[in-house]
Structure formats: structure tokens, C-alpha cells
Coordinates of all heavy atoms in Angstrom, one line a residue:
M1 N -37.3 8.9 11.1 CA -36.7 7.6 11.8 C -35.9 7.0 10.7 O -34.8 6.6 10.9 CB -37.8 6.8 12.3 CG -37.2 5.7 13.1 SD -36.2 6.4 14.6 CE -35.4 4.9 15.1
R2 N -36.5 6.8 9.5 CA -35.8 6.0 8.5 C -34.5 6.8 8.0 O -33.5 6.2 7.7 CB -36.8 5.9 7.3 CG -36.2 4.9 6.3 CD -37.2 4.7 5.2 NE -37.8 3.4 5.3 CZ -38.8 3.0 4.4 NH1 -39.0 3.7 3.3 NH2 -39.3 1.8 4.5
Q3 N -34.6 8.2 8.0 CA -33.6 9.0 7.6 C -32.3 8.8 8.6 O -31.2 8.8 8.1 CB -33.9 10.5 7.5 CG -34.9 10.7 6.1 CD -35.2 12.0 6.0 OE1 -35.1 12.9 7.0 NE2 -35.7 12.4 4.9
I4 N -32.6 8.7 9.7 CA -31.4 8.7 10.7 C -30.9 7.3 10.6 O -29.7 7.2 10.4 CB -32.2 8.7 12.2 CG1 -32.6 10.1 12.5 CG2 -31.0 8.4 13.3 CD1 -33.3 10.2 13.8
F5 N -31.5 6.3 10.3 CA -31.0 4.9 10.0 C -30.2 4.9 8.8 O -29.1 4.5 8.8 CB -32.2 3.9 9.9 CG -31.7 2.7 9.8 CD1 -31.0 1.8 10.8 CD2 -31.8 2.0 8.4 CE1 -30.6 0.7 10.7 CE2 -31.4 0.7 8.3 CZ -30.7 -0.1 9.4
L6 N -30.5 5.7 7.8 CA -29.8 5.8 6.6 C -28.5 6.5 6.8 O -27.5 6.1 6.3 CB -30.8 6.5 5.5 CG -31.2 5.7 4.3 CD1 -32.0 6.5 3.4 CD2 -30.0 5.2 3.6
L7 N -28.6 7.6 7.6 CA -27.5 8.3 7.8 C -26.3 7.5 8.6 O -25.2 7.5 8.3 CB -27.7 9.5 8.8 CG -27.9 10.8 8.0 CD1 -28.4 11.9 8.9 CD2 -26.9 11.2 7.1
I8 N -26.8 6.7 9.4 CA -25.9 5.7 10.3 C -25.3 4.8 9.3 O -24.1 4.6 9.4 CB -26.7 5.1 11.3 CG1 -27.0 6.2 12.5 CG2 -25.8 4.0 12.1 CD1 -28.0 5.5 13.6
V9 N -26.1 4.2 8.5 CA -25.4 3.2 7.5 C -24.5 3.9 6.7 O -23.4 3.4 6.4 CB -26.7 2.6 6.7 CG1 -26.1 1.8 5.5 CG2 -27.6 1.7 7.7
L10 N -24.9 5.1 6.1 CA -23.9 5.9 5.2 C -22.6 6.1 6.0 O -21.5 5.8 5.4 CB -24.4 7.1 4.9 CG -25.3 7.1 3.6 CD1 -25.8 8.4 3.1 CD2 -24.4 6.6 2.4
F11 N -22.6 6.4 7.2 CA -21.5 6.8 8.0 C -20.6 5.6 8.1 O -19.5 5.5 8.0 CB -21.8 7.2 9.4 CG -20.7 7.5 10.3 CD1 -20.0 8.8 10.1 CD2 -20.4 6.7 11.4 CE1 -18.9 9.0 11.0 CE2 -19.3 7.1 12.1 CZ -18.6 8.2 12.0
I12 N -21.3 4.3 8.5 CA -20.4 3.1 8.7 C -19.8 2.7 7.3 O -18.6 2.4 7.3 CB -21.4 2.0 9.0 CG1 -21.9 2.4 10.7 CG2 -20.7 0.7 9.1 CD1 -22.9 1.4 11.2
V13 N -20.5 2.9 6.3 CA -20.0 2.5 5.0 C -18.9 3.3 4.6 O -17.8 2.9 4.2 CB -21.1 2.5 3.9 CG1 -20.5 2.3 2.5 CG2 -22.2 1.4 4.1
G14 N -19.0 4.6 5.0 CA -17.9 5.6 4.6 C -16.6 5.3 5.5 O -15.5 5.3 4.9
Q15 N -16.8 5.0 6.7 CA -15.7 4.4 7.5 C -14.9 3.4 7.0 O -13.8 3.3 7.0 CB -16.1 4.3 8.9 CG -16.6 5.5 9.7 CD -15.3 6.2 10.5 OE1 -14.6 5.4 11.0 NE2 -15.3 7.5 10.3
W16 N -15.8 2.3 6.7 CA -15.3 1.1 6.1 C -14.6 1.2 4.8 O -13.4 0.7 4.7 CB -16.5 0.1 5.9 CG -16.0 -1.3 5.2 CD1 -15.5 -2.3 5.9 CD2 -15.9 -1.6 3.9 NE1 -15.1 -3.2 5.1 CE2 -15.4 -2.8 3.8 CE3 -16.4 -1.0 2.7 CZ2 -15.2 -3.5 2.6 CZ3 -16.2 -1.5 1.6 CH2 -15.6 -2.8 1.5
L17 N -15.1 2.2 4.0 CA -14.3 2.5 2.8 C -13.0 3.1 2.9 O -11.9 2.8 2.4 CB -15.2 3.4 1.9 CG -16.0 2.7 0.8 CD1 -16.9 3.9 0.0 CD2 -15.1 2.0 -0.2
V18 N -12.9 4.1 3.9 CA -11.6 4.7 4.1 C -10.5 3.7 4.7 O -9.4 3.7 4.4 CB -11.9 5.9 5.2 CG1 -10.6 6.3 5.7 CG2 -12.6 7.0 4.5
K19 N -11.2 2.9 5.6 CA -10.3 1.9 6.2 C -9.6 0.8 5.1 O -8.5 0.6 5.1 CB -10.9 1.1 7.3 CG -10.1 0.6 8.3 CD -10.8 -0.1 9.4 CE -11.5 0.7 10.5 NZ -12.1 -0.1 11.6
A20 N -10.6 0.6 4.2 CA -10.2 -0.4 3.3 C -9.2 0.2 2.2 O -8.2 -0.4 2.0 CB -11.5 -1.0 2.4
L21 N -9.4 1.5 2.0 CA -8.5 2.1 1.0 C -7.1 2.2 1.7 O -6.1 2.0 1.1 CB -9.0 3.5 0.8 CG -9.8 3.6 -0.4 CD1 -10.3 5.0 -0.7 CD2 -9.1 3.1 -1.6
R22 N -7.1 2.6 3.0 CA -5.9 2.9 3.7 C -5.1 1.5 3.8 O -3.9 1.4 3.6 CB -6.2 3.3 5.1 CG -5.3 4.5 5.4 CD -5.7 5.0 6.7 NE -6.1 6.4 6.6 CZ -6.6 7.1 7.7 NH1 -6.7 6.4 8.9 NH2 -7.0 8.2 7.6
R23 N -5.9 0.4 4.1 CA -5.2 -0.9 4.2 C -4.7 -1.4 2.9 O -3.6 -1.9 2.9 CB -6.3 -1.8 4.7 CG -5.6 -3.2 5.1 CD -6.6 -4.2 5.4 NE -7.4 -4.2 6.6 CZ -8.4 -4.9 6.8 NH1 -8.9 -5.8 6.0 NH2 -9.0 -4.7 8.0
H24 N -5.4 -1.0 1.9 CA -4.8 -1.3 0.5 C -3.6 -0.7 0.1 O -2.7 -1.3 -0.3 CB -5.9 -1.1 -0.5 CG -5.5 -1.4 -1.9 ND1 -5.0 -0.6 -2.9 CD2 -5.4 -2.7 -2.6 CE1 -4.8 -1.1 -4.0 NE2 -4.9 -2.5 -3.8
D25 N -3.6 0.5 0.5 CA -2.4 1.4 0.4 C -1.2 0.9 1.1 O 0.0 0.7 0.5 CB -2.6 2.8 0.7 CG -3.1 3.7 -0.5 OD1 -3.0 3.2 -1.6 OD2 -3.5 4.9 -0.3
A26 N -1.4 0.6 2.4 CA -0.2 0.2 3.2 C 0.2 -1.3 2.7 O 1.5 -1.6 2.7 CB -0.7 0.0 4.6
H27 N -0.7 -2.1 2.3 CA -0.3 -3.4 1.8 C 0.4 -3.4 0.6 O 1.5 -4.0 0.5 CB -1.7 -4.1 1.5 CG -1.5 -5.7 1.3 ND1 -1.0 -6.5 2.3 CD2 -1.5 -6.3 0.2 CE1 -0.9 -7.7 1.9 NE2 -1.1 -7.7 0.5
T28 N 0.1 -2.6 -0.5 CA 0.9 -2.4 -1.6 C 2.3 -1.9 -1.3 O 3.3 -2.3 -1.9 CB 0.2 -1.6 -2.8 OG1 -0.2 -0.4 -2.2 CG2 -1.0 -2.4 -3.3
A29 N 2.4 -0.9 -0.5 CA 3.6 -0.2 -0.3 C 4.6 -1.2 0.5 O 5.7 -1.3 0.3 CB 3.4 1.0 0.8
Q30 N 3.9 -2.1 1.4 CA 4.8 -2.9 2.1 C 5.3 -4.0 1.2 O 6.5 -4.4 1.2 CB 4.0 -3.6 3.1 CG 4.6 -3.9 4.5 CD 3.7 -4.6 5.4 OE1 2.8 -5.4 5.1 NE2 3.9 -4.2 6.7
R31 N 4.5 -4.4 0.3 CA 4.8 -5.5 -0.6 C 6.0 -5.0 -1.6 O 6.9 -5.8 -1.8 CB 3.6 -6.0 -1.4 CG 3.8 -7.3 -2.1 CD 2.7 -7.7 -3.0 NE 1.7 -8.5 -2.5 CZ 0.5 -8.7 -3.2 NH1 0.3 -8.2 -4.3 NH2 -0.3 -9.5 -2.7
T32 N 5.9 -3.9 -2.1 CA 6.8 -3.5 -3.1 C 8.1 -2.8 -2.5 O 9.1 -2.8 -3.0 CB 6.2 -2.4 -4.1 OG1 5.7 -1.3 -3.2 CG2 5.1 -2.9 -4.9
G33 N 7.8 -2.2 -1.2 CA 9.0 -1.6 -0.5 C 9.9 -2.5 0.1 O 11.1 -2.3 0.1
A34 N 9.4 -3.6 0.7 CA 10.2 -4.3 1.6 C 11.0 -5.4 0.9 O 11.9 -6.0 1.3 CB 9.3 -5.1 2.5
G35 N 10.8 -5.4 -0.5 CA 11.6 -6.4 -1.1 C 11.2 -7.9 -1.2 O 11.9 -8.7 -1.5
G36 N 10.0 -8.1 -0.4 CA 9.6 -9.6 -0.6 C 9.6 -10.3 0.7 O 8.7 -10.4 1.6
A37 N 10.8 -10.6 1.2 CA 11.1 -11.6 2.2 C 10.8 -11.0 3.5 O 10.4 -11.6 4.5 CB 12.5 -12.1 2.1
R38 N 11.0 -9.7 3.6 CA 11.0 -9.1 5.0 C 9.4 -8.7 5.4 O 9.2 -8.4 6.4 CB 11.8 -7.8 5.1 CG 13.1 -8.2 5.4 CD 14.1 -7.0 5.4 NE 13.5 -5.9 6.3 CZ 13.7 -4.6 6.2 NH1 14.3 -4.1 5.1 NH2 13.2 -3.8 7.0
G39 N 8.6 -8.7 4.3 CA 7.3 -8.2 4.5 C 6.5 -9.1 5.5 O 5.6 -8.6 6.3
A40 N 6.7 -10.4 5.5 CA 5.9 -11.3 6.3 C 6.2 -11.1 7.8 O 5.2 -11.1 8.7 CB 6.2 -12.7 5.9
A41 N 7.4 -10.8 8.2 CA 7.7 -10.6 9.7 C 6.9 -9.3 10.2 O 6.6 -9.3 11.4 CB 9.1 -10.6 9.8
N42 N 6.6 -8.4 9.4 CA 6.0 -7.2 9.8 C 4.6 -7.2 9.9 O 3.9 -6.1 9.9 CB 6.5 -6.1 8.9 CG 6.7 -4.7 9.6 OD1 6.6 -4.8 11.0 ND2 7.2 -3.7 9.0
N43 N 3.9 -8.3 9.8 CA 2.6 -8.3 9.4 C 1.6 -8.5 10.6 O 0.4 -8.6 10.5 CB 2.3 -9.6 8.5 CG 1.4 -9.1 7.3 OD1 1.0 -7.9 7.2 ND2 1.2 -10.0 6.4
G44 N 2.1 -8.5 12.0 CA 1.3 -8.8 13.0 C 0.1 -7.8 13.3 O -0.9 -8.1 13.0
N45 N 0.4 -6.6 13.8 CA -0.6 -5.7 13.9 C 0.0 -4.3 13.6 O -0.3 -3.3 14.2 CB -1.1 -5.6 15.5 CG -0.1 -5.6 16.4 OD1 1.2 -5.5 16.0 ND2 -0.3 -5.7 17.8
G46 N 1.0 -4.2 12.9 CA 1.6 -2.9 12.4 C 0.8 -2.3 11.4 O 1.5 -1.7 10.5
A47 N -0.4 -2.4 11.2 CA -1.2 -1.8 10.1 C -1.1 -0.3 10.3 O -1.2 0.5 9.3 CB -2.6 -2.5 10.0
A48 N -1.2 0.1 11.6 CA -1.5 1.6 11.7 C 0.0 2.2 12.0 O 0.0 3.4 12.4 CB -2.2 1.8 13.0
R49 N 1.1 1.5 11.6 CA 2.4 2.2 11.9 C 2.7 3.1 10.9 O 3.4 4.0 11.2 CB 3.3 1.0 12.1 CG 4.7 1.4 12.6 CD 5.6 0.2 12.8 NE 5.2 -0.7 14.0 CZ 5.8 -1.7 14.2 NH1 6.7 -2.2 13.6 NH2 5.3 -2.5 15.2
Q50 N 2.3 2.9 9.6 CA 2.6 3.8 8.7 C 1.4 4.6 8.2 O 0.6 4.1 7.6 CB 3.2 3.0 7.4 CG 4.5 2.3 7.5 CD 5.0 1.7 6.3 OE1 4.1 1.3 5.6 NE2 6.3 1.5 6.1
P51 N 1.4 5.9 8.7 CA 0.2 6.7 8.5 C 0.0 7.1 7.0 O -1.0 7.1 6.6 CB 0.5 8.0 9.3 CG 2.0 8.0 9.5 CD 2.5 6.6 9.4
E52 N 1.2 7.3 6.3 CA 1.0 7.6 4.8 C 2.1 6.6 4.1 O 3.3 6.7 4.5 CB 1.2 9.0 4.6 CG 2.2 9.7 5.3 CD 2.2 11.2 5.1 OE1 2.4 11.6 4.1 OE2 1.8 12.0 6.1
A53 N 1.6 6.2 3.0 CA 2.6 5.3 2.3 C 3.6 6.1 1.4 O 3.2 6.9 0.6 CB 1.9 4.4 1.3
P54 N 4.8 6.0 1.7 CA 5.9 6.8 0.9 C 5.9 6.4 -0.6 O 5.9 5.2 -1.0 CB 7.1 6.5 1.5 CG 6.9 5.2 2.2 CD 5.5 5.0 2.6
Q55 N 5.7 7.3 -1.6 CA 5.7 7.0 -2.9 C 7.0 6.6 -3.5 O 7.0 6.0 -4.6 CB 5.1 8.1 -3.7 CG 3.6 8.4 -3.4 CD 2.6 7.4 -3.9 OE1 2.9 6.9 -5.0 NE2 1.7 7.0 -3.1
L56 N 8.1 7.0 -2.9 CA 9.3 6.8 -3.4 C 9.8 5.4 -3.1 O 10.9 5.0 -3.7 CB 10.3 7.8 -2.9 CG 10.1 9.3 -3.2 CD1 11.0 10.2 -2.5 CD2 10.2 9.4 -4.7
A57 N 9.2 4.6 -2.4 CA 9.7 3.2 -1.9 C 9.8 2.3 -3.2 O 10.4 1.4 -3.2 CB 8.7 2.6 -0.9
E58 N 8.8 2.5 -4.3 CA 8.8 1.6 -5.3 C 9.9 1.9 -6.3 O 10.0 3.1 -6.8 CB 7.5 1.8 -6.0 CG 7.3 0.7 -7.2 CD 6.0 0.5 -7.5 OE1 5.0 1.2 -7.2 OE2 5.7 -0.6 -8.0
P59 N 10.8 1.0 -6.6 CA 11.8 1.2 -7.6 C 11.4 1.3 -8.9 O 10.4 0.7 -9.3 CB 12.7 0.0 -7.2 CG 11.8 -1.0 -6.8 CD 10.9 -0.3 -6.0
M60 N 12.0 2.1 -9.8 CA 11.6 2.3 -11.1 C 12.5 1.6 -12.0 O 13.7 1.5 -11.8 CB 11.5 3.7 -11.5 CG 10.8 4.7 -10.6 SD 9.0 4.3 -10.9 CE 8.8 5.4 -12.3
I61 N 12.0 1.1 -13.1 CA 12.9 0.4 -14.1 C 12.7 1.0 -15.4 O 11.8 1.8 -15.7 CB 12.4 -1.1 -14.2 CG1 10.9 -1.3 -14.4 CG2 12.8 -1.9 -12.9 CD1 10.7 -1.3 -15.9
R62 N 13.7 0.7 -16.2 CA 13.6 1.3 -17.6 C 13.4 0.2 -18.6 O 14.1 -0.9 -18.7 CB 15.1 2.0 -17.9 CG 15.0 2.9 -19.1 CD 16.4 3.6 -19.2 NE 16.5 4.4 -20.5 CZ 16.8 3.9 -21.6 NH1 17.0 2.6 -21.7 NH2 16.8 4.7 -22.7
C63 N 12.4 0.5 -19.4 CA 12.0 -0.5 -20.4 C 13.1 -0.6 -21.4 O 13.6 0.4 -22.1 CB 10.7 -0.1 -21.1 SG 10.2 -1.2 -22.4
V64 N 13.5 -1.9 -21.8 CA 14.5 -2.1 -22.8 C 13.9 -1.7 -24.2 O 14.7 -1.2 -25.1 CB 14.9 -3.6 -22.8 CG1 15.9 -3.7 -23.9 CG2 15.6 -3.8 -21.4
E65 N 12.7 -1.7 -24.5 CA 12.2 -1.6 -25.8 C 12.0 -0.1 -26.0 O 12.3 0.4 -27.1 CB 10.8 -2.4 -25.8 CG 10.1 -2.2 -27.1 CD 10.7 -2.8 -28.4 OE1 11.6 -3.7 -28.0 OE2 10.4 -2.5 -29.4
C66 N 11.2 0.6 -25.2 CA 10.8 2.0 -25.4 C 11.6 3.0 -24.6 O 11.6 4.2 -24.8 CB 9.3 2.1 -25.4 SG 8.8 1.9 -23.6
G67 N 12.3 2.5 -23.6 CA 12.9 3.4 -22.7 C 12.3 4.1 -21.8 O 12.8 5.0 -21.0
V68 N 11.1 3.8 -21.6 CA 10.2 4.4 -20.6 C 10.3 4.0 -19.2 O 10.6 2.8 -19.0 CB 8.7 4.3 -20.9 CG1 7.8 4.3 -19.7 CG2 8.3 5.3 -22.1
H69 N 10.4 4.8 -18.2 CA 10.5 4.4 -16.8 C 9.2 4.0 -16.2 O 8.3 4.7 -16.3 CB 11.3 5.5 -15.9 CG 12.6 5.6 -16.2 ND1 13.1 6.3 -17.4 CD2 13.8 5.2 -15.6 CE1 14.4 6.2 -17.4 NE2 14.8 5.6 -16.3
A70 N 9.1 2.8 -15.7 CA 7.9 2.3 -15.2 C 8.2 1.8 -13.9 O 9.2 1.3 -13.5 CB 7.3 1.3 -16.1
P71 N 7.1 1.8 -12.9 CA 7.2 1.1 -11.5 C 7.5 -0.3 -11.8 O 7.0 -1.0 -12.6 CB 5.9 1.4 -11.0 CG 5.0 1.8 -12.1 CD 5.8 2.4 -13.2
K72 N 8.2 -0.8 -10.8 CA 8.8 -2.3 -11.0 C 7.5 -3.3 -10.8 O 7.7 -4.4 -11.4 CB 9.7 -2.5 -9.8 CG 10.6 -3.8 -10.1 CD 11.6 -4.0 -9.0 CE 12.5 -5.1 -9.3 NZ 13.5 -5.5 -8.3
S73 N 6.5 -2.9 -10.1 CA 5.5 -3.8 -9.9 C 4.6 -4.1 -11.3 O 4.0 -4.9 -11.5 CB 4.5 -3.2 -8.9 OG 4.0 -1.9 -9.3
D74 N 4.9 -2.9 -12.2 CA 4.2 -3.0 -13.5 C 4.9 -3.6 -14.5 O 4.7 -3.9 -15.7 CB 3.6 -1.7 -14.0 CG 2.5 -1.3 -13.2 OD1 1.9 -2.0 -12.4 OD2 2.3 0.0 -13.1
S75 N 6.3 -4.0 -14.2 CA 7.1 -4.4 -15.2 C 7.2 -5.9 -15.7 O 6.6 -6.7 -14.7 CB 8.7 -4.0 -14.8 OG 9.0 -4.9 -13.6
V76 N 7.8 -6.3 -16.6 CA 7.9 -7.6 -17.0 C 9.3 -7.9 -17.4 O 9.9 -7.3 -18.1 CB 6.9 -7.9 -18.3 CG1 7.0 -9.2 -18.9 CG2 5.5 -7.5 -18.1
V77 N 9.7 -9.1 -16.8 CA 11.2 -9.4 -16.9 C 11.2 -10.7 -17.7 O 10.6 -11.8 -17.5 CB 11.8 -9.7 -15.5 CG1 13.2 -10.1 -15.7 CG2 11.7 -8.5 -14.6
V78 N 11.8 -10.5 -19.0 CA 12.1 -11.7 -19.8 C 13.5 -11.9 -20.2 O 14.1 -10.9 -20.6 CB 11.3 -11.5 -21.2 CG1 11.6 -12.7 -22.1 CG2 9.8 -11.3 -20.8
A79 N 14.1 -13.0 -19.8 CA 15.5 -13.3 -20.1 C 16.4 -12.3 -19.5 O 17.4 -11.8 -20.1 CB 15.7 -13.5 -21.6
G80 N 16.1 -11.8 -18.3 CA 17.0 -10.9 -17.6 C 16.9 -9.4 -18.1 O 17.6 -8.5 -17.6
Q81 N 15.9 -9.2 -19.0 CA 15.7 -7.7 -19.5 C 14.3 -7.3 -18.9 O 13.3 -8.1 -19.0 CB 15.8 -7.7 -21.0 CG 17.3 -7.9 -21.5 CD 17.3 -7.8 -23.1 OE1 16.5 -8.7 -23.7 NE2 18.2 -7.1 -23.6
V82 N 14.2 -6.0 -18.8 CA 13.0 -5.6 -18.0 C 12.3 -4.6 -19.2 O 12.8 -4.0 -19.8 CB 13.4 -4.6 -17.0 CG1 12.2 -4.4 -16.0 CG2 14.6 -5.2 -16.1
F83 N 11.0 -4.9 -19.1 CA 10.0 -4.2 -20.1 C 9.0 -3.5 -19.2 O 8.6 -4.0 -18.1 CB 9.6 -5.1 -21.2 CG 10.6 -5.9 -21.9 CD1 11.0 -7.1 -21.4 CD2 11.1 -5.3 -23.0 CE1 12.0 -7.7 -22.1 CE2 12.1 -6.0 -23.7 CZ 12.6 -7.2 -23.3
C84 N 8.3 -2.5 -19.8 CA 7.2 -1.8 -19.1 C 6.0 -2.6 -19.3 O 5.0 -2.4 -18.5 CB 7.1 -0.3 -19.8 SG 6.6 -0.3 -21.5
S85 N 5.9 -3.3 -20.2 CA 4.6 -4.2 -20.4 C 5.0 -5.5 -21.3 O 6.0 -5.6 -21.8 CB 3.6 -3.4 -21.3 OG 4.2 -3.0 -22.5
A86 N 4.0 -6.3 -21.1 CA 4.2 -7.7 -21.8 C 4.2 -7.5 -23.2 O 4.9 -8.3 -23.9 CB 3.0 -8.6 -21.5
A87 N 3.5 -6.5 -23.7 CA 3.4 -6.3 -25.2 C 4.8 -5.9 -25.7 O 5.4 -6.3 -26.7 CB 2.5 -5.2 -25.6
H88 N 5.6 -5.1 -24.9 CA 6.9 -4.7 -25.4 C 8.0 -5.9 -25.3 O 8.8 -6.0 -26.0 CB 7.4 -3.5 -24.4 CG 6.7 -2.2 -25.1 ND1 7.2 -1.0 -24.5 CD2 6.0 -1.9 -26.0 CE1 6.5 -0.1 -25.2 NE2 5.7 -0.7 -26.1
A89 N 7.7 -6.6 -24.3 CA 8.5 -7.9 -24.1 C 8.5 -8.7 -25.4 O 9.4 -9.3 -25.8 CB 8.2 -8.6 -22.8
Q90 N 7.2 -9.0 -25.7 CA 6.8 -9.7 -26.9 C 7.6 -9.1 -28.1 O 8.2 -9.9 -29.0 CB 5.4 -9.9 -27.1 CG 5.0 -11.4 -27.1 CD 3.4 -11.5 -27.1 OE1 2.8 -10.5 -27.4 NE2 2.9 -12.6 -26.8
R91 N 7.4 -7.8 -28.3 CA 7.9 -7.2 -29.5 C 9.5 -7.2 -29.5 O 10.1 -7.5 -30.6 CB 7.4 -5.7 -29.4 CG 7.4 -5.0 -30.9 CD 6.6 -3.8 -30.9 NE 7.5 -2.7 -30.2 CZ 7.0 -1.5 -30.1 NH1 5.7 -1.2 -30.4 NH2 7.6 -0.6 -29.5
H92 N 10.1 -7.1 -28.5 CA 11.5 -7.2 -28.3 C 11.9 -8.7 -28.6 O 13.0 -8.8 -29.2 CB 11.9 -6.8 -27.0 CG 13.4 -6.6 -26.9 ND1 14.0 -5.4 -27.2 CD2 14.4 -7.3 -26.4 CE1 15.3 -5.5 -27.1 NE2 15.6 -6.7 -26.6
G93 N 11.2 -9.6 -28.2 CA 11.6 -11.0 -28.5 C 11.5 -11.4 -29.8 O 12.3 -12.2 -30.4
T94 N 10.5 -11.0 -30.5 CA 10.2 -11.3 -31.9 C 11.1 -10.6 -32.9 O 11.4 -11.1 -34.0 CB 8.6 -11.1 -32.4 OG1 8.3 -9.7 -32.0 CG2 7.8 -12.0 -31.5
R95 N 11.5 -9.4 -32.5 CA 12.3 -8.6 -33.5 C 13.7 -9.1 -33.5 O 14.5 -9.2 -32.4 CB 12.3 -7.1 -33.0 CG 12.8 -6.2 -34.2 CD 12.7 -4.9 -33.7 NE 13.5 -4.5 -32.5 CZ 13.4 -3.5 -31.8 NH1 12.5 -2.5 -32.0 NH2 14.1 -3.4 -30.6
P96 N 14.2 -9.4 -34.6 CA 15.8 -9.9 -34.7 C 16.6 -8.7 -34.4 O 16.6 -7.7 -35.2 CB 15.8 -10.4 -36.2 CG 14.7 -9.7 -36.8 CD 13.6 -9.4 -36.1
T97 N 17.4 -9.0 -33.3 CA 18.3 -8.0 -33.1 C 19.8 -8.5 -33.3 O 20.2 -9.5 -32.8 CB 18.2 -7.4 -31.7 OG1 18.4 -8.6 -30.9 CG2 17.1 -6.7 -31.4
G98 N 20.7 -7.6 -34.0 CA 22.0 -8.2 -34.3 C 23.0 -7.7 -33.3 O 24.0 -8.2 -33.3
R99 N 22.5 -6.7 -32.5 CA 23.6 -6.1 -31.6 C 23.6 -6.8 -30.2 O 24.2 -6.4 -29.4 CB 23.2 -4.6 -31.4 CG 21.9 -4.5 -30.8 CD 21.6 -3.1 -30.6 NE 20.3 -3.1 -29.9 CZ 19.9 -2.2 -29.1 NH1 20.6 -1.1 -28.9 NH2 18.7 -2.2 -28.6
D100 N 22.8 -7.9 -30.1 CA 22.7 -8.5 -28.7 C 23.9 -9.3 -28.5 O 24.0 -10.4 -29.1 CB 21.5 -9.3 -28.6 CG 21.2 -9.6 -27.3 OD1 21.8 -9.2 -26.3 OD2 20.3 -10.5 -27.0
A101 N 24.9 -8.9 -27.7 CA 26.0 -9.7 -27.4 C 25.9 -10.6 -26.3 O 26.0 -10.1 -25.1 CB 27.1 -8.7 -27.2
R102 N 25.7 -11.9 -26.5 CA 25.7 -12.8 -25.4 C 25.6 -14.2 -25.9 O 24.8 -14.3 -26.9 CB 24.9 -12.5 -24.3 CG 25.5 -12.9 -22.9 CD 24.5 -12.9 -21.8 NE 24.1 -11.5 -21.5 CZ 23.1 -11.4 -20.5 NH1 22.8 -12.3 -19.6 NH2 22.6 -10.2 -20.2
Ligands
ZN201 ZN1 8.2 -0.3 -23.2

């Protein structure tokens, strides 16, 4: 009897986990893909509208410091320049550059 109860609980937890993961995926895709302002209007009950989140929706940026391409959600923008991380933004800011024309 106790084992049956355990099985049921496991099943429910599994379902909940899958649902939570899916919702998280859709949420991040919506946030990064829609560009911000449009995301709120789509928020009613359209959670099941996108069965799989497209990976290409997220724009990539190029780090000014190291040249690595990174997803925009992970990027840091300082003074109009895009970096892959805060560390690189700091390094770029502290290093004296003579070629910066502006
Ligand atoms: Zn970098």
C-alpha cells in the first residue's frame, strides 16, 4: 500500500518537473525572442502555443574585448560597446586604448 502511494507521488512530482521545465524554456524564449515590449501582450494563456522553443531566436553579440560570440542575454553593454562578461567590460574600460575614435 505504501509503495503505491510512493509511486503516485513520484508520478505527480515528475509531471510537475516536466511542466516547470517547459514553462521555464518558453518563458526565456519569449523574453529574449520578442525583444521586450511585445512579450507582455502574449502572456494570457498562450503557454502551450510553442511546443518547442527555437534556439535561433536569441541574437548573438560579439565581445569587443575577446571577439567571442555570446548570447545577448549573457552580454554586458558598457558605453555602447558589448562584452561577453562583466570582467571583460571592466578589462576593456581600465586598459588605455589609443585607437578609440570618438
Ligand atoms: Zn569577452
Side-chain angles (χ1 to χ4, degrees):
M1 190 60 190
R2 193 182 250 182
Q3 287 181 343
I4 294 177
F5 183 69
L6 248 179
L7 268 180
I8 292 175
V9 169
L10 268 179
F11 181 74
I12 292 175
V13 169
Q15 291 271 318
W16 179 81
L17 262 180
V18 169
K19 208 181 274 184
L21 270 181
R22 229 178 244 173
R23 192 193 283 172
H24 181 258
D25 267 353
H27 190 70
T28 49
Q30 217 178 39
R31 196 191 260 174
T32 54
R38 275 175 59 209
N42 213 359
N43 229 356
N45 50 5
R49 200 172 283 173
Q50 289 181 334
E52 43 190 294
Q55 293 291 321
L56 294 175
E58 184 156 22
M60 303 289 279
I61 54 93
R62 189 172 180 277
C63 178
V64 177
E65 177 70 17
C66 66
V68 158
H69 285 79
K72 199 176 181 187
S73 61
D74 290 342
S75 66
V76 178
V77 180
V78 177
Q81 291 181 307
V82 194
F83 302 92
C84 65
S85 63
H88 278 183
Q90 237 173 16
R91 201 163 78 184
H92 192 79
T94 53
R95 195 178 57 194
T97 54
R99 55 173 189 158
D100 194 8
R102 218 189 299 179

